[in-house]
Amino acid sequence: MPTNPTNPSNLRHPALPVDSSSLSLSIDQRLGSFHLQTELVLPAHGVTGIFGTSGSGKTSLLRLIAGLEYPDSGVIQLGDQVLLDTRRRISVAAHKRRIGVVFQEARLFPHYRVRGNLTYGMPAHASARFDEIVELLGIKALLERMPGTLSGGEARRVAIGRALLSDPQLLLMDEPLTGLDGARKDELLRFIAQLTKQVDIPVIYVSHDAEEISAIADHLVLMKAGRVVASNRLNHLLQRFDLTHELGGFDAASILEGRVDEHDATYNLTHLALNDTHRLVIPGTSAPIGSPLRVRILARDIALALTPLQSTSYRNQLSATIEDMTSLSTSPHSVELLLNVGDIRLRARLTRKSWDEMGLHIGKQITALIRSVSVAHY
């Protein structure tokens, strides 16, 4: 393990602001022609999604945080603990960093039963959480099974359990849904989305799949060619017109958070409160009344009207103000709008002809129309 940088660089090692569990890093690493150089401060709570195309540096960054690789120069700090500082020759070994890692493959020990895999490396003080985590993961019935008898989704759950039972301060997940088919992937994605709301440690989730990131991330780090293009709350970045090309996999969409207000059993619909004055009607869910729910609305699924409509199939009509507009170079017949709905921002797309014929302009009040069936929820 290197303790002295052999290729020092002029990378700045700033005093990055941290709290009790935030992650800050300043890294410089060259691997052949690839150069990873980035500075980040990541939130102490919730899920940070790291998104980018293949070769952007996502997994390399994760392995550096975990201590599985070492940079030419850099600092990594988790809360008040310095995990790496090449100038001061500090390098905490991977097994001492209290970081749980879930890889693309489950990597279970084939000669241990599920119970043995879960308890491998578990510190004694974490044994009190064994039953709780097994229940949380829904794997009690698997405890005496051998890994070779598990489905792909079951094996991933066990791998997540093993990571959580290592009593980590931080959980890293590297493309955990890779290789799963559609149904199993959707099931495990919903499970991970719920799990990340219940664990009390920050999670970093790496993926090149925008649907996965949209389902679980609170914060988004956008990477390209070893650099961080942008880092902020997910919905904030989705509203930035200048990132449309870099966020190509996401389409143009808005991620909204609300609370379940009521269920309409007759028509299998759920009413979601976005804030004190705005509601959404979405396809029925089993989420309990009062529970948080995330929804994703594509820009192309929002229509505009100058006034509320009386007879329409649109269940959702939100009073909004046009906050910004941009033309699309890749779609010359369209424009994209940023709508202000109280404290909520929505991204919408319509034709330039509609923009002109309706007399729309920045600052104009309109009604945003959203079909219930078009809203995806997580």
Side-chain angles (χ1 to χ4, degrees):
M1 179 180 69
T3 57
N4 188 25
T6 58
N7 182 25
S9 73
N10 59 1
L11 180 70
R12 292 181 296 113
H13 292 181
L16 298 172
V18 296
D19 63 23
S20 60
S21 56
S22 65
L23 178 73
S24 60
L25 56 91
S26 179
I27 291 296
D28 192 297
Q29 181 189 44
R30 288 186 182 272
L31 296 170
S33 61
F34 179 73
H35 188 191
L36 176 66
Q37 188 176 47
T38 185
E39 295 180 4
L40 275 174
V41 179
L42 299 181
H45 307 285
V47 180
T48 294
I50 301 183
F51 178 80
T53 57
S54 179
S56 59
K58 306 184 301 297
T59 294
S60 295
L61 181 60
L62 213 68
R63 291 180 64 83
L64 288 168
I65 294 170
L68 302 176
E69 293 182 6
Y70 299 89
D72 300 319
S73 179
V75 174
I76 301 175
Q77 184 168 335
L78 180 58
D80 57 4
Q81 182 185 13
V82 177
L83 302 179
L84 176 78
D85 189 329
T86 54
R87 287 182 178 174
R88 296 161 59 193
R89 299 186 179 184
I90 297 173
S91 183
V92 177
H95 68 279
K96 294 183 177 180
R97 292 194 178 192
R98 289 189 62 196
I99 294 176
V101 185
V102 180
F103 298 97
Q104 293 183 19
E105 307 84 21
R107 300 191 184 186
L108 302 180
F109 298 115
H111 54 293
Y112 287 168
R113 297 184 186 275
V114 166
R115 184 185 297 275
N117 271 279
L118 290 171
T119 57
Y120 185 88
M122 180 181 72
H125 67 270
S127 61
R129 297 196 62 204
F130 182 86
D131 291 340
E132 172 194 346
I133 289 176
V134 165
E135 182 69 25
L136 181 65
L137 295 166
I139 56 176
K140 185 175 182 179
L142 307 179
L143 291 178
E144 304 310 318
R145 299 250 307 263
M146 300 299 289
T149 69
L150 303 178
S151 70
E154 289 171 339
R156 305 296 169 89
R157 289 194 187 202
V158 175
I160 293 170
R162 183 173 62 185
L164 291 174
L165 283 167
S166 69
D167 192 31
Q169 299 177 93
L170 172 69
L171 180 63
L172 308 179
M173 307 184 82
D174 184 15
E175 305 268 12
L177 306 184
T178 297
L180 297 182
D181 62 30
R184 288 186 176 89
K185 180 177 179 178
D186 290 345
E187 179 186 6
L188 190 57
L189 178 58
R190 288 193 295 271
F191 166 77
I192 292 175
Q194 291 301 315
L195 174 70
T196 54
K197 293 175 181 147
Q198 298 177 58
V199 296
D200 56 357
I201 56 174
V203 177
I204 298 178
Y205 188 98
V206 165
S207 180
H208 66 278
D209 188 315
E211 184 73 16
E212 293 178 28
I213 297 289
S214 295
I216 70 169
D218 305 298
H219 190 96
L220 178 65
V221 175
L222 180 61
M223 295 193 68
K224 181 179 181 180
R227 301 293 194 274
V228 172
V229 176
S231 175
N232 209 318
R233 289 196 60 82
L234 172 62
N235 199 43
H236 178 83
L237 294 190
L238 292 184
Q239 307 307 320
R240 282 180 53 179
F241 295 144
D242 61 310
L243 293 178
T244 298
H245 179 70
E246 306 296 344
L247 290 166
F250 280 86
D251 291 320
S254 302
I255 306 294
L256 307 182
E257 304 279 353
R259 292 196 173 274
V260 176
D261 198 35
E262 66 174 289
H263 295 297
D264 182 344
T266 302
Y267 294 104
N268 192 26
L269 297 171
T270 291
H271 294 249
L272 191 69
L274 298 176
N275 51 32
D276 291 339
T277 57
H278 295 94
R279 303 286 187 274
L280 273 183
V281 180
I282 65 174
T285 76
S286 58
I289 300 296
S291 63
L293 198 67
R294 171 179 298 199
V295 297
R296 179 174 180 244
I297 304 172
L298 298 179
R300 63 173 179 262
D301 288 330
I302 297 178
L304 302 185
L306 296 178
T307 58
L309 305 182
Q310 296 301 316
S311 299
T312 177
S313 63
Y314 286 98
R315 295 294 91 197
N316 299 295
Q317 300 192 46
L318 304 179
S319 177
T321 303
I322 299 175
E323 187 171 290
D324 199 2
M325 182 275 279
T326 188
S327 299
L328 298 175
S329 58
T330 57
S331 182
H333 64 279
S334 300
V335 295
E336 285 208 355
L337 313 180
L338 188 62
L339 307 179
N340 185 325
V341 185
D343 57 349
I344 299 166
R345 299 295 183 274
L346 282 175
R347 194 165 173 171
R349 179 178 295 172
L350 68 158
T351 65
R352 287 194 299 113
K353 186 175 183 179
S354 295
W355 170 267
D356 290 339
E357 289 185 347
M358 294 174 69
L360 301 178
H361 57 82
I362 294 175
K364 187 173 182 64
Q365 292 188 327
I366 49 87
T367 298
L369 309 173
I370 307 169
R371 293 185 304 149
S372 296
V373 295
S374 69
V375 180
H377 58 80
Y378 307 102

